[in-house]
Amino acid sequence: VTVEGRTEGKGRVRLTVDTGCRPVGAGYSAPVAEDPGPEAAVLADALRALGRPAGTASEPVVAPCPAGAGTARTLRSTEGPTPEPANALASLAAGAPLLDTPEVYAYRRDGVTVVLDRTSPTAVLAATT
């Protein structure tokens, strides 16, 4: 396992972990996202709360979980300027937010983790199972 870290700004550190064990190369077939999972509905709700059209998500990014324990899926939407996330998204969180800073707001709902990352001029909203 390789762990690398660097500062991303005041009070922010980005850690990258690489196990080197993802199956790649000849003969590897990436899992296909068949039907929309719960992340699609949760992302659509978050987009509506931010005043955005619900159908602006990217194609899902899909990765197999170790030992065939399922599939991890992420949908993303690239946003322009966003309202204060705590004001717009707080009612969607099941409980307290996981992270609430001016740059990043994250919460969990129905087994889906939602992150609004406003660290660059174009905000990214992602929902992951």
Side-chain angles (χ1 to χ4, degrees):
V1 175
T2 301
V3 179
E4 296 178 358
R6 67 177 186 269
T7 58
E8 288 282 314
K10 184 178 181 182
R12 290 181 46 97
V13 175
R14 179 177 298 261
L15 296 175
T16 305
V17 179
D18 183 9
T19 64
C21 66
R22 284 279 183 220
V24 295
Y28 173 69
S29 297
V32 177
E34 295 170 7
D35 297 326
E39 69 280 355
V42 172
L43 182 66
D45 288 345
L47 285 166
R48 280 192 290 276
L50 293 169
R52 304 286 194 251
T56 60
S58 66
E59 290 296 315
V61 176
V62 181
C65 294
T71 304
R73 299 166 46 112
T74 297
L75 280 176
R76 291 187 180 103
S77 179
T78 304
E79 302 298 312
T82 59
E84 284 302 315
N87 296 338
L89 298 173
S91 66
L92 299 177
L98 302 172
L99 183 61
D100 184 359
T101 69
E103 299 86 15
V104 180
Y105 187 83
Y107 63 94
R108 184 173 281 278
R109 178 174 163 207
D110 299 334
V112 178
T113 300
V114 179
V115 178
L116 176 61
D117 183 345
R118 302 182 339 153
T119 57
S120 66
T122 303
V124 176
L125 182 65
T128 302
T129 56

